[in-house]
Amino acid sequence: MGWKFRFGNGTRYVSGVTDQRHVPLQGARNFRDLGGYRAADGQTIAWGRVYRADRLTDLTRDDVAELLDVRGLKTVIDLRTSAEVARYGPGMIAPHVRRIHRSLLSPSLRLRPSLDYADWAIAGQDVLADIFAQMTADDDPFPLVFHCSVGKDRTGIVASLLLSALGTPRQTIIDDYALTRKYFNPNDDQIGKWRRRVLKHFPGLSQSVDSRALLDADPDTMRRLLDTLDARLGAVATFLDSLGINRDRLRARLLET
């Protein structure tokens, strides 16, 4: 029997971060609706328009029916590497949606023994720009989900930038990131498999890396991303501007009217 993964001193939840946003699926543990969060000018992000998730490889037929027939999912943005996609596949939902594969990481990016999302975001600036261009293209791609393997790191970066572009308060962005702690609790065997996979695909990662710490959705990791972008660029908004995001169209599609 595997032990439960225990993190820090617990997770702080704010209004709007509720069980309502978790989509209970058999084949994905960390599939969450970004609706309900406060945005700019007192508006609210609409429910059922944009989701964040872990990998969709293991979705069941019932899961696919839930996402397609009940939630009307149209688009999947897959942030995994080509190696991850080749090994695990896109899942049975792929033929039924518009699937966009944009890897936010490459083996040439030297991962560190700690998570430095600012480095990841800046190195992946062209990919991020394309992801947001897809969200604001002439053809409305929503309802849409973006995902990686665990639904924490790469997905967390995209979620933080999307929520920032919509004007969501910083603490809410941090708390949304930390919700992964509630839904992702790997056991010893899963941690070992994850470690071997990461070391294989990213040889720049230190052999002494603390796998448990890297799998933790520590709120300070997200806080550090936002603070670092502020320190390097003057503001997170400056980075968003560099991505060329059409914020008016994004808000028109995702905010309640």
Side-chain angles (χ1 to χ4, degrees), residues 49 166 247-257:
R49 293 291 287 164
L166 294 173
R247 295 194 209 183
D248 289 339
R249 179 171 285 183
L250 194 65
R251 289 170 178 169
R253 288 178 172 174
L254 293 179
L255 299 186
E256 292 182 344
T257 57

Side-chain angles (χ1 to χ4, degrees), residues 72-99:
L73 191 69
K74 291 169 58 176
T75 307
V76 171
I77 297 180
D78 188 341
L79 304 171
R80 297 176 299 165
T81 64
S82 295
E84 289 173 293
V85 175
R87 177 163 183 172
Y88 298 102
M92 67 171 65
I93 198 170
H96 308 286
V97 295
R98 181 185 177 209
R99 180 175 171 273

Side-chain angles (χ1 to χ4, degrees), residues 40-191:
D41 302 322
Q43 293 179 286
T44 302
I45 301 173
W47 290 97
R49 293 291 287 164
V50 61
Y51 302 88
R52 56 174 295 168
D54 48 340
R55 76 181 189 212
L56 308 182
T57 302
D58 300 322
L59 293 183
T60 66
R61 293 186 184 279
D62 287 343
D63 292 338
V64 172
E66 166 70 23
L67 296 178
L68 296 178
D69 301 336
V70 178
R71 297 179 181 271
L73 191 69
K74 291 169 58 176
T75 307
V76 171
I77 297 180
D78 188 341
L79 304 171
R80 297 176 299 165
T81 64
S82 295
E84 289 173 293
V85 175
R87 177 163 183 172
Y88 298 102
M92 67 171 65
I93 198 170
H96 308 286
V97 295
R98 181 185 177 209
R99 180 175 171 273
I100 301 166
H101 177 221
R102 298 290 185 271
S103 175
L104 193 56
L105 288 181
S106 69
S108 61
L109 179 62
R110 291 181 60 85
L111 304 188
R112 300 179 177 184
S114 61
L115 296 173
D116 191 335
Y117 288 167
D119 282 353
W120 297 19
I122 291 171
Q125 189 166 343
D126 289 344
V127 173
L128 290 168
D130 185 64
I131 288 169
F132 283 102
Q134 299 287 344
M135 292 184 183
T136 56
D138 290 342
D139 293 332
D140 186 345
F142 299 97
L144 172 153
V145 62
F146 52 90
H147 77 94
C148 53
S149 287
V150 172
K152 177 178 78 77
D153 300 322
R154 292 161 285 187
T155 296
I157 291 170
V158 173
S160 71
L161 297 175
L162 173 62
L163 292 174
S164 294
L166 294 173
T168 300
R170 179 168 296 207
Q171 188 58 52
T172 301
I173 295 170
I174 293 168
D175 289 335
D176 176 76
Y177 170 77
L179 268 179
T180 288
R181 284 179 159 177
K182 186 170 184 177
Y183 302 113
F184 179 67
N185 295 297
N187 58 33
D188 279 336
D189 182 57
Q190 291 167 329
I191 290 172

